[in-house]
Amino acid sequence: MLRIKFLLENKEIQVEQGENLLDGARKAGIVIDAPCNGNLSCGKCKVKIVSGKVDSASSHHISHEELEKGYVLACNTRIIEDIVVEVPTEASAFMHGMKIDDLSSERDQEIFERAKRQVLDHGMTFKSYVQKEYIEIDVPTLDDNISDWDRIKRYLRNHLGYTQVFCRLQMLRKIPGILRGSDFKVTITHIPRGKGRTTIVNMEVGDTTNRLYGIAVDIGTTSVAACLVDLYNGSLLAKASMGNAQIKYGADVINRIIFAAKGDGLQKLNDAIIYETINPLIRKMLNSAKVDKDEVIAFVAAGNTTMAHLLLGVYPDYLRREPYIPAFLRAPFIKASELEIEVNPETFLYIVPSVASYVGGDITAGVLSSGIWSVEENVLFIDLGTNGEIVFGNKDFLMTCACSAGPAFEGGEISCGMRATDGAIDRISIDRETYESQFKVIGDKKPLGICGSGIIDLISEMMICGIMDRRGKLNRDLHISRIRVDEHGIGEYILAFKEAYGMEKDLTINEVDIDNFIRAKGAIYSGASVLLSSLGMDFTMIDRVYIAGGIGNSLNIQNSIRIGMLPDIEENKFMYIGNSSLMGAYLTLMSEDGRHKLEDIANQMTYVELSVHPNYMDEFVSACFLPHTDIEMFPNVKKLLEE
Amino acid sequence: MLRIKFLLENKEIQVEQGENLLDGARKAGIVIDAPCNGNLSCGKCKVKIVSGKVDSASSHHISHEELEKGYVLACNTRIIEDIVVEVPTEASAFMHGMKIDDLSSERDQEIFERAKRQVLDHGMTFKSYVQKEYIEIDVPTLDDNISDWDRIKRYLRNHLGYTQVFCRLQMLRKIPGILRGSDFKVTITHIPRGKGRTTIVNMEVGDTTNRLYGIAVDIGTTSVAACLVDLYNGSLLAKASMGNAQIKYGADVINRIIFAAKGDGLQKLNDAIIYETINPLIRKMLNSAKVDKDEVIAFVAAGNTTMAHLLLGVYPDYLRREPYIPAFLRAPFIKASELEIEVNPETFLYIVPSVASYVGGDITAGVLSSGIWSVEENVLFIDLGTNGEIVFGNKDFLMTCACSAGPAFEGGEISCGMRATDGAIDRISIDRETYESQFKVIGDKKPLGICGSGIIDLISEMMICGIMDRRGKLNRDLHISRIRVDEHGIGEYILAFKEAYGMEKDLTINEVDIDNFIRAKGAIYSGASVLLSSLGMDFTMIDRVYIAGGIGNSLNIQNSIRIGMLPDIEENKFMYIGNSSLMGAYLTLMSEDGRHKLEDIANQMTYVELSVHPNYMDEFVSACFLPHTDIEMFPNVKKLLEE
């Protein structure tokens, strides 16, 4: 057996000779970002071997300089003797201190209040799908000797009008003891279903009606956010978020699906989301709010269709094979105990229904909380997460499509890209004269990379300054030190020199990155465009654009328009609405009316499959320009460029 | 550690010094009958210490002769050195080769056919609550890309008219693979519920509609009988029966309830019925019929109210405490996997509803199969099992009561008593002149004891011959060798001398036994009498008497009348209907109409609580005579006695 010591984490484990370093780190509980899951393609699992020898193949992700310093790709390295390893912040940062819209900022508070009004202003009430009732039941006598269960049913029929009352075996087993331990004064928790029907899911001694809690979760491909809710007044008792622990098995849904289909991959993904993500988040919230797990009796989760499959442990492989068929859009009735989610075992887990294979419950929930379904005006809703989903509509109709934008907005497929966490550059400007850059780093740390909003700024600024043309090619005639061309002829722009920030190498963006990003933004724009044109409409008819998702608070609308990701319409029509999926899950948790509305929304949304739409490829190709091949569609950008 | 060797079983185990011998035997898996569960009261756990010393208190159940031969009560014996033990046949026989009405004899076949007619002759059909459908679903395409689950629901809606279709998580997980492994040609197993609603519980590749099986079980306090049924044609593929493994924790329901309330007693009883009784019976039947456990998708169990509680693992202690309240009469929806019963895990376990704390689902099922609910005539139904339950009624009304007859009819509380298994004397006659006895032994073996029907014969014959008076006291003036009086003045009748059969001691019945038995028969008679009088009726108004239960085939009606257990009415009004509970469970399994009828029966039966009935005690005391204090009620017996 050999030893690996992880220097910064101060952890040591024993492994077999020849073991893969990434696998070893996972066993030690050391998180290393490896979105491509060992396919050598992403280069994110770079670690430094401080001492000891390893067997590691060379990779274009490792520069000569890095190689000399001992850097290797963990996924590509076998252990042949005792080693000491240092995991760089870039490789481990994503799981910790991730900045997620968890409703804590002032702006988030506004968004939260706005979302609540979507329900309350439309005649719906805040009454959850689970309810508590304190009941004082007649104590049995020889003359009134019906069974405990019949006695409870009689009470509910006579006092609350429920004619059909159900329970499960585990509940039945608790009844005799609790009734007699409380002198037949108990609080029941139940889930009403339709007229006169209800299911009792919990029973407690005495009056506990003031304690009724629920948890709402947004399961993103990249990050998971949750909140603990007092179901009586809707107040948020705790909030928490972290990276989706599945990320080590693949950065995007396609890689997760591929992983799920191999060996016990599905089980591993299911374990990662439940045991390594959701349950730790729940524990953290319950601890901070001093709520017992058995008091949490409602649970709503919203995620894309793949996330829903992986949460339920349902084989997802047919989602990625033509004709792209999900196993389900609406989940069956599931108890928390079936998935071992650490709330009351009898809790009914409500999974927000999906619309199609690539338009999931996160979008359904987002539509609910954004209020599109209630307005006269035409609203375009864009979720910029690991993929991009678009909804267009109003109170009369709702159309939706999925854009295969990939993970670029979260830093994926970009050499300098990273998620919007500490050390990520999220805002950039370039001086028109000197071509010098200025930027803001999240957490005011040393810059580690650039997140989605930073890349949008950078590309926009490079284009406006003339550093780059509208195809995304660097201006090689501009002889400045920030532009250089590598041995393969690929140009790159140096955003930050290593000397200035004490970094190991310069922070750069190259033409391959730019090309990847242009295709991502092009997918969003052309998706929206085709969705509108399929209705005989165009962008001028849009009254409002809501931007949701992981791209975050720092998104610069003007720059997004300039690169042709968003249409060139009045800036005041745009609004960032944060984590609309979590917000929608919250509303679903709080309001049975809201949940019914959500079901209506899922039913009503018309899915447009872009990949088979006749115009889509043309539109996409046209959109893979800055801002577009047809500059007339971006009059303001045209004016700016002509200045 | 000390060693116990069980000679005949050839098993050896290690135990701590001082361990109880009965507990040690249970650990070794050696079955020793101990109905009183170590209370020293039954004397049935008698074993022989072949070598080694033990610490054992004396007991009136062990004669001097037996003591000298090494006999001890296992429950009363501590192990202090290595020992070799011989468990006598009497103590272990009850679990093996027990003769139970399992529908195999010709007479049972008649009873079975008669029960089937109860359903079929009344417009009900043989269609089980579970059904299979072979469906060929449209294969998905890009233009028809709804989810697997929506596709199944669409088929069921369009082709079979089900508008609400449900499934559970485990089922959902199987769907994608099975659909694609079968080219979307599958057989679904489903449970229709009400109009347009159904729940899919299983899905198989291809057309398997010809294989659909169910299991019916009668869970008696003493014995458990089961049958495996082809749900398409109602044929019995296998039958099996054995002693209820709970018996080691107590012979009757009261002792079981007491045991359940101690420590992990409830768990032990639940384990005993499921793992040691029902599952072995199921395995045996599936093996012999070559049916896979996953093909068994329907399950109906009928048992008394206590048995139902113990099967479900529900705390039963309040059943025996005034005001005698069961936790439930109707069980909730339970899946086989919840109880780990070895059929298809998704199988819905239907537990036949009980009527009251001491009138259980076995009686409800018995009423269904006996057909009382369908006739004009007045029928008295008597279930002579470990207790006695009585139903009186016809198609217009059904009254029921429970008699605390105890286990006497199955040999309990009788020193020479045993269950109706090999070695039990089940028929007896005594010569009027010589007082010599003749008897029949089940299995034509050496006699070990007397079962219920034998005791009825014996008491009747002793009375008619004048060996015993009508109070049950032996005629001490009759100087014959078969009558003797012990040092306490208790008389006993010697049915068989030990020398004649090579037994260790004489086979006798004493006045205490007779007294116990008279109280048991008195409970039955007075119960029936009070039930009738509460309706302003008497025995002359009875058109038919059905006798069901463990008393068995050999019951002599004439003798039962002579001792005053059954009323003195025409013998041709009586009919033995066998294991009516198993029969009823079978009908419930086979016919959804039958199941609805069963629910009606459970709802309609009016329970009469004898213990609070003003006349009951008087009636009971009067019935504790042979045949009754008022001989005028038994004119034929009177005539006989006067001869």
mmCIF file of all heavy atoms in Angstrom, chain B residues 491-521:
data_model
loop_
_atom_site.group_PDB
_atom_site.id
_atom_site.type_symbol
_atom_site.label_atom_id
_atom_site.label_comp_id
_atom_site.label_asym_id
_atom_site.label_seq_id
_atom_site.Cartn_x
_atom_site.Cartn_y
_atom_site.Cartn_z
ATOM 1 N N GLY B 491 -60.085 -37.124 40.925
ATOM 2 C CA GLY B 491 -60.290 -38.374 40.227
ATOM 3 C C GLY B 491 -59.770 -38.311 38.804
ATOM 4 O O GLY B 491 -59.754 -37.245 38.177
ATOM 5 N N GLU B 492 -59.318 -39.471 38.299
ATOM 6 C CA GLU B 492 -58.934 -39.518 36.883
ATOM 7 C C GLU B 492 -59.381 -40.830 36.257
ATOM 8 O O GLU B 492 -59.506 -41.852 36.936
ATOM 9 C CB GLU B 492 -57.437 -39.283 36.695
ATOM 10 C CG GLU B 492 -56.540 -40.343 37.313
ATOM 11 C CD GLU B 492 -55.056 -40.039 37.125
ATOM 12 O OE1 GLU B 492 -54.717 -39.002 36.524
ATOM 13 O OE2 GLU B 492 -54.234 -40.848 37.592
ATOM 14 N N TYR B 493 -59.648 -40.748 34.937
ATOM 15 C CA TYR B 493 -60.047 -41.923 34.177
ATOM 16 C C TYR B 493 -58.879 -42.291 33.284
ATOM 17 O O TYR B 493 -58.293 -41.428 32.601
ATOM 18 C CB TYR B 493 -61.281 -41.617 33.323
ATOM 19 C CG TYR B 493 -61.644 -42.738 32.382
ATOM 20 C CD1 TYR B 493 -62.336 -43.875 32.844
ATOM 21 C CD2 TYR B 493 -61.307 -42.676 31.028
ATOM 22 C CE1 TYR B 493 -62.662 -44.910 31.979
ATOM 23 C CE2 TYR B 493 -61.642 -43.707 30.150
ATOM 24 C CZ TYR B 493 -62.319 -44.833 30.644
ATOM 25 O OH TYR B 493 -62.639 -45.849 29.776
ATOM 26 N N ILE B 494 -58.530 -43.599 33.311
ATOM 27 C CA ILE B 494 -57.407 -44.068 32.498
ATOM 28 C C ILE B 494 -57.942 -44.558 31.167
ATOM 29 O O ILE B 494 -58.631 -45.570 31.076
ATOM 30 C CB ILE B 494 -56.652 -45.189 33.227
ATOM 31 C CG1 ILE B 494 -56.152 -44.663 34.576
ATOM 32 C CG2 ILE B 494 -55.472 -45.679 32.377
ATOM 33 C CD1 ILE B 494 -55.788 -45.750 35.550
ATOM 34 N N LEU B 495 -57.630 -43.804 30.132
ATOM 35 C CA LEU B 495 -58.092 -44.162 28.795
ATOM 36 C C LEU B 495 -57.239 -45.300 28.233
ATOM 37 O O LEU B 495 -57.749 -46.200 27.586
ATOM 38 C CB LEU B 495 -58.009 -42.940 27.870
ATOM 39 C CG LEU B 495 -58.422 -43.158 26.421
ATOM 40 C CD1 LEU B 495 -59.885 -43.576 26.324
ATOM 41 C CD2 LEU B 495 -58.186 -41.906 25.596
ATOM 42 N N ALA B 496 -55.932 -45.231 28.493
ATOM 43 C CA ALA B 496 -55.034 -46.281 27.984
ATOM 44 C C ALA B 496 -53.944 -46.530 29.018
ATOM 45 O O ALA B 496 -53.317 -45.589 29.493
ATOM 46 C CB ALA B 496 -54.429 -45.849 26.655
ATOM 47 N N PHE B 497 -53.767 -47.803 29.327
ATOM 48 C CA PHE B 497 -52.698 -48.156 30.267
ATOM 49 C C PHE B 497 -51.365 -48.152 29.548
ATOM 50 O O PHE B 497 -51.265 -48.586 28.389
ATOM 51 C CB PHE B 497 -52.982 -49.529 30.883
ATOM 52 C CG PHE B 497 -54.146 -49.508 31.835
ATOM 53 C CD1 PHE B 497 -55.396 -49.956 31.444
ATOM 54 C CD2 PHE B 497 -53.974 -49.005 33.136
ATOM 55 C CE1 PHE B 497 -56.476 -49.922 32.318
ATOM 56 C CE2 PHE B 497 -55.053 -48.979 34.015
ATOM 57 C CZ PHE B 497 -56.305 -49.429 33.611
ATOM 58 N N LYS B 498 -50.340 -47.689 30.263
ATOM 59 C CA LYS B 498 -49.033 -47.547 29.621
ATOM 60 C C LYS B 498 -48.504 -48.872 29.094
ATOM 61 O O LYS B 498 -47.912 -48.934 28.018
ATOM 62 C CB LYS B 498 -48.021 -46.925 30.590
ATOM 63 C CG LYS B 498 -47.794 -47.703 31.879
ATOM 64 C CD LYS B 498 -46.851 -46.955 32.807
ATOM 65 C CE LYS B 498 -46.725 -47.741 34.116
ATOM 66 N NZ LYS B 498 -45.950 -47.040 35.134
ATOM 67 N N GLU B 499 -48.788 -49.960 29.859
ATOM 68 C CA GLU B 499 -48.252 -51.260 29.466
ATOM 69 C C GLU B 499 -48.780 -51.680 28.090
ATOM 70 O O GLU B 499 -48.055 -52.263 27.283
ATOM 71 C CB GLU B 499 -48.624 -52.340 30.486
ATOM 72 C CG GLU B 499 -48.010 -52.133 31.854
ATOM 73 C CD GLU B 499 -48.728 -51.092 32.711
ATOM 74 O OE1 GLU B 499 -49.828 -50.635 32.296
ATOM 75 O OE2 GLU B 499 -48.191 -50.697 33.760
ATOM 76 N N ALA B 500 -50.049 -51.326 27.824
ATOM 77 C CA ALA B 500 -50.673 -51.779 26.581
ATOM 78 C C ALA B 500 -50.043 -51.129 25.355
ATOM 79 O O ALA B 500 -50.074 -51.691 24.265
ATOM 80 C CB ALA B 500 -52.178 -51.480 26.618
ATOM 81 N N TYR B 501 -49.478 -49.939 25.532
ATOM 82 C CA TYR B 501 -48.955 -49.218 24.359
ATOM 83 C C TYR B 501 -47.479 -48.862 24.490
ATOM 84 O O TYR B 501 -46.959 -48.075 23.712
ATOM 85 C CB TYR B 501 -49.784 -47.944 24.130
ATOM 86 C CG TYR B 501 -51.214 -48.258 23.810
ATOM 87 C CD1 TYR B 501 -52.178 -48.344 24.814
ATOM 88 C CD2 TYR B 501 -51.602 -48.530 22.488
ATOM 89 C CE1 TYR B 501 -53.488 -48.661 24.516
ATOM 90 C CE2 TYR B 501 -52.915 -48.850 22.187
ATOM 91 C CZ TYR B 501 -53.866 -48.910 23.199
ATOM 92 O OH TYR B 501 -55.146 -49.224 22.896
ATOM 93 N N GLY B 502 -46.821 -49.431 25.501
ATOM 94 C CA GLY B 502 -45.406 -49.118 25.686
ATOM 95 C C GLY B 502 -45.161 -47.655 25.962
ATOM 96 O O GLY B 502 -44.175 -47.073 25.506
ATOM 97 N N MET B 503 -46.094 -47.011 26.680
ATOM 98 C CA MET B 503 -45.946 -45.591 26.984
ATOM 99 C C MET B 503 -45.237 -45.434 28.323
ATOM 100 O O MET B 503 -45.181 -46.355 29.126
ATOM 101 C CB MET B 503 -47.325 -44.926 27.051
ATOM 102 C CG MET B 503 -48.100 -45.021 25.743
ATOM 103 S SD MET B 503 -49.694 -44.166 25.795
ATOM 104 C CE MET B 503 -50.618 -45.191 26.929
ATOM 105 N N GLU B 504 -44.718 -44.253 28.557
ATOM 106 C CA GLU B 504 -44.002 -44.001 29.808
ATOM 107 C C GLU B 504 -44.973 -43.861 30.980
ATOM 108 O O GLU B 504 -44.618 -44.053 32.129
ATOM 109 C CB GLU B 504 -43.159 -42.737 29.689
ATOM 110 C CG GLU B 504 -42.196 -42.805 28.499
ATOM 111 C CD GLU B 504 -40.754 -42.634 28.928
ATOM 112 O OE1 GLU B 504 -40.524 -41.836 29.849
ATOM 113 O OE2 GLU B 504 -39.877 -43.303 28.359
ATOM 114 N N LYS B 505 -46.192 -43.404 30.699
ATOM 115 C CA LYS B 505 -47.188 -43.353 31.761
ATOM 116 C C LYS B 505 -48.578 -43.553 31.158
ATOM 117 O O LYS B 505 -48.760 -43.436 29.934
ATOM 118 C CB LYS B 505 -47.106 -42.040 32.554
ATOM 119 C CG LYS B 505 -47.332 -40.792 31.740
ATOM 120 C CD LYS B 505 -47.419 -39.582 32.685
ATOM 121 C CE LYS B 505 -47.894 -38.357 31.920
ATOM 122 N NZ LYS B 505 -48.231 -37.259 32.806
ATOM 123 N N ASP B 506 -49.527 -43.794 32.033
ATOM 124 C CA ASP B 506 -50.893 -44.011 31.557
ATOM 125 C C ASP B 506 -51.444 -42.748 30.904
ATOM 126 O O ASP B 506 -51.086 -41.632 31.294
ATOM 127 C CB ASP B 506 -51.811 -44.378 32.741
ATOM 128 C CG ASP B 506 -51.362 -45.670 33.422
ATOM 129 O OD1 ASP B 506 -50.733 -46.517 32.744
ATOM 130 O OD2 ASP B 506 -51.650 -45.816 34.631
ATOM 131 N N LEU B 507 -52.308 -42.934 29.912
ATOM 132 C CA LEU B 507 -52.977 -41.805 29.281
ATOM 133 C C LEU B 507 -54.296 -41.591 30.028
ATOM 134 O O LEU B 507 -55.191 -42.441 29.983
ATOM 135 C CB LEU B 507 -53.222 -42.120 27.807
ATOM 136 C CG LEU B 507 -53.628 -40.964 26.914
ATOM 137 C CD1 LEU B 507 -52.560 -39.885 26.906
ATOM 138 C CD2 LEU B 507 -53.845 -41.473 25.492
ATOM 139 N N THR B 508 -54.415 -40.454 30.709
ATOM 140 C CA THR B 508 -55.565 -40.242 31.586
ATOM 141 C C THR B 508 -56.206 -38.879 31.341
ATOM 142 O O THR B 508 -55.596 -37.972 30.772
ATOM 143 C CB THR B 508 -55.124 -40.261 33.062
ATOM 144 O OG1 THR B 508 -54.249 -39.150 33.268
ATOM 145 C CG2 THR B 508 -54.380 -41.540 33.407
ATOM 146 N N ILE B 509 -57.430 -38.764 31.799
ATOM 147 C CA ILE B 509 -58.091 -37.453 31.842
ATOM 148 C C ILE B 509 -58.578 -37.298 33.282
ATOM 149 O O ILE B 509 -59.126 -38.237 33.869
ATOM 150 C CB ILE B 509 -59.240 -37.348 30.813
ATOM 151 C CG1 ILE B 509 -59.778 -35.906 30.768
ATOM 152 C CG2 ILE B 509 -60.364 -38.344 31.111
ATOM 153 C CD1 ILE B 509 -60.645 -35.633 29.543
ATOM 154 N N ASN B 510 -58.318 -36.123 33.882
ATOM 155 C CA ASN B 510 -58.728 -35.972 35.274
ATOM 156 C C ASN B 510 -59.843 -34.939 35.415
ATOM 157 O O ASN B 510 -60.251 -34.302 34.438
ATOM 158 C CB ASN B 510 -57.529 -35.646 36.168
ATOM 159 C CG ASN B 510 -56.900 -34.305 35.814
ATOM 160 O OD1 ASN B 510 -57.607 -33.361 35.452
ATOM 161 N ND2 ASN B 510 -55.580 -34.229 35.911
ATOM 162 N N GLU B 511 -60.318 -34.793 36.604
ATOM 163 C CA GLU B 511 -61.478 -33.914 36.821
ATOM 164 C C GLU B 511 -61.172 -32.452 36.543
ATOM 165 O O GLU B 511 -62.059 -31.674 36.170
ATOM 166 C CB GLU B 511 -62.007 -34.113 38.251
ATOM 167 C CG GLU B 511 -62.710 -35.466 38.407
ATOM 168 C CD GLU B 511 -63.039 -35.820 39.847
ATOM 169 O OE1 GLU B 511 -62.426 -35.221 40.763
ATOM 170 O OE2 GLU B 511 -63.890 -36.696 40.059
ATOM 171 N N VAL B 512 -59.898 -32.061 36.719
ATOM 172 C CA VAL B 512 -59.527 -30.675 36.392
ATOM 173 C C VAL B 512 -59.641 -30.462 34.880
ATOM 174 O O VAL B 512 -60.200 -29.460 34.409
ATOM 175 C CB VAL B 512 -58.099 -30.365 36.895
ATOM 176 C CG1 VAL B 512 -57.676 -28.968 36.455
ATOM 177 C CG2 VAL B 512 -58.016 -30.510 38.405
ATOM 178 N N ASP B 513 -59.134 -31.441 34.114
ATOM 179 C CA ASP B 513 -59.248 -31.365 32.653
ATOM 180 C C ASP B 513 -60.711 -31.272 32.224
ATOM 181 O O ASP B 513 -61.088 -30.457 31.377
ATOM 182 C CB ASP B 513 -58.679 -32.636 31.998
ATOM 183 C CG ASP B 513 -57.195 -32.827 32.276
ATOM 184 O OD1 ASP B 513 -56.488 -31.808 32.447
ATOM 185 O OD2 ASP B 513 -56.745 -33.993 32.315
ATOM 186 N N ILE B 514 -61.491 -32.132 32.814
ATOM 187 C CA ILE B 514 -62.920 -32.196 32.444
ATOM 188 C C ILE B 514 -63.588 -30.868 32.749
ATOM 189 O O ILE B 514 -64.344 -30.318 31.941
ATOM 190 C CB ILE B 514 -63.604 -33.368 33.170
ATOM 191 C CG1 ILE B 514 -63.021 -34.697 32.634
ATOM 192 C CG2 ILE B 514 -65.124 -33.324 32.983
ATOM 193 C CD1 ILE B 514 -63.376 -35.913 33.492
ATOM 194 N N ASP B 515 -63.244 -30.331 33.904
ATOM 195 C CA ASP B 515 -63.798 -29.043 34.305
ATOM 196 C C ASP B 515 -63.406 -27.958 33.292
ATOM 197 O O ASP B 515 -64.241 -27.152 32.871
ATOM 198 C CB ASP B 515 -63.262 -28.706 35.700
ATOM 199 C CG ASP B 515 -64.125 -27.664 36.367
ATOM 200 O OD1 ASP B 515 -65.364 -27.800 36.281
ATOM 201 O OD2 ASP B 515 -63.569 -26.710 36.936
ATOM 202 N N ASN B 516 -62.149 -27.955 32.918
ATOM 203 C CA ASN B 516 -61.691 -26.975 31.915
ATOM 204 C C ASN B 516 -62.469 -27.119 30.618
ATOM 205 O O ASN B 516 -62.886 -26.134 30.005
ATOM 206 C CB ASN B 516 -60.191 -27.173 31.619
ATOM 207 C CG ASN B 516 -59.320 -26.602 32.717
ATOM 208 O OD1 ASN B 516 -59.752 -25.755 33.497
ATOM 209 N ND2 ASN B 516 -58.079 -27.077 32.801
ATOM 210 N N PHE B 517 -62.661 -28.370 30.221
ATOM 211 C CA PHE B 517 -63.335 -28.602 28.953
ATOM 212 C C PHE B 517 -64.809 -28.210 29.034
ATOM 213 O O PHE B 517 -65.375 -27.663 28.079
ATOM 214 C CB PHE B 517 -63.188 -30.056 28.516
ATOM 215 C CG PHE B 517 -63.425 -30.224 27.051
ATOM 216 C CD1 PHE B 517 -62.387 -30.041 26.141
ATOM 217 C CD2 PHE B 517 -64.697 -30.511 26.561
ATOM 218 C CE1 PHE B 517 -62.612 -30.154 24.784
ATOM 219 C CE2 PHE B 517 -64.924 -30.621 25.198
ATOM 220 C CZ PHE B 517 -63.877 -30.451 24.309
ATOM 221 N N ILE B 518 -65.404 -28.503 30.164
ATOM 222 C CA ILE B 518 -66.820 -28.143 30.320
ATOM 223 C C ILE B 518 -66.997 -26.631 30.241
ATOM 224 O O ILE B 518 -67.934 -26.119 29.621
ATOM 225 C CB ILE B 518 -67.385 -28.707 31.656
ATOM 226 C CG1 ILE B 518 -67.534 -30.239 31.532
ATOM 227 C CG2 ILE B 518 -68.721 -28.049 32.007
ATOM 228 C CD1 ILE B 518 -67.989 -30.921 32.823
ATOM 229 N N ARG B 519 -66.054 -25.902 30.809
ATOM 230 C CA ARG B 519 -66.162 -24.442 30.710
ATOM 231 C C ARG B 519 -66.013 -23.970 29.268
ATOM 232 O O ARG B 519 -66.672 -23.035 28.835
ATOM 233 C CB ARG B 519 -65.147 -23.765 31.629
ATOM 234 C CG ARG B 519 -65.715 -23.648 33.057
ATOM 235 C CD ARG B 519 -64.872 -22.787 33.978
ATOM 236 N NE ARG B 519 -63.725 -23.544 34.462
ATOM 237 C CZ ARG B 519 -62.479 -23.314 34.120
ATOM 238 N NH1 ARG B 519 -62.192 -22.315 33.305
ATOM 239 N NH2 ARG B 519 -61.509 -24.060 34.594
ATOM 240 N N ALA B 520 -65.154 -24.630 28.516
ATOM 241 C CA ALA B 520 -64.963 -24.259 27.103
ATOM 242 C C ALA B 520 -66.238 -24.521 26.302
ATOM 243 O O ALA B 520 -66.719 -23.659 25.566
ATOM 244 C CB ALA B 520 -63.794 -25.040 26.510
ATOM 245 N N LYS B 521 -66.800 -25.716 26.482
ATOM 246 C CA LYS B 521 -68.028 -26.032 25.717
ATOM 247 C C LYS B 521 -69.192 -25.173 26.200
ATOM 248 O O LYS B 521 -70.046 -24.749 25.415
ATOM 249 C CB LYS B 521 -68.325 -27.536 25.784
ATOM 250 C CG LYS B 521 -68.932 -28.046 27.079
ATOM 251 C CD LYS B 521 -70.458 -28.041 27.039
ATOM 252 C CE LYS B 521 -71.043 -28.249 28.440
ATOM 253 N NZ LYS B 521 -72.463 -27.976 28.506
#
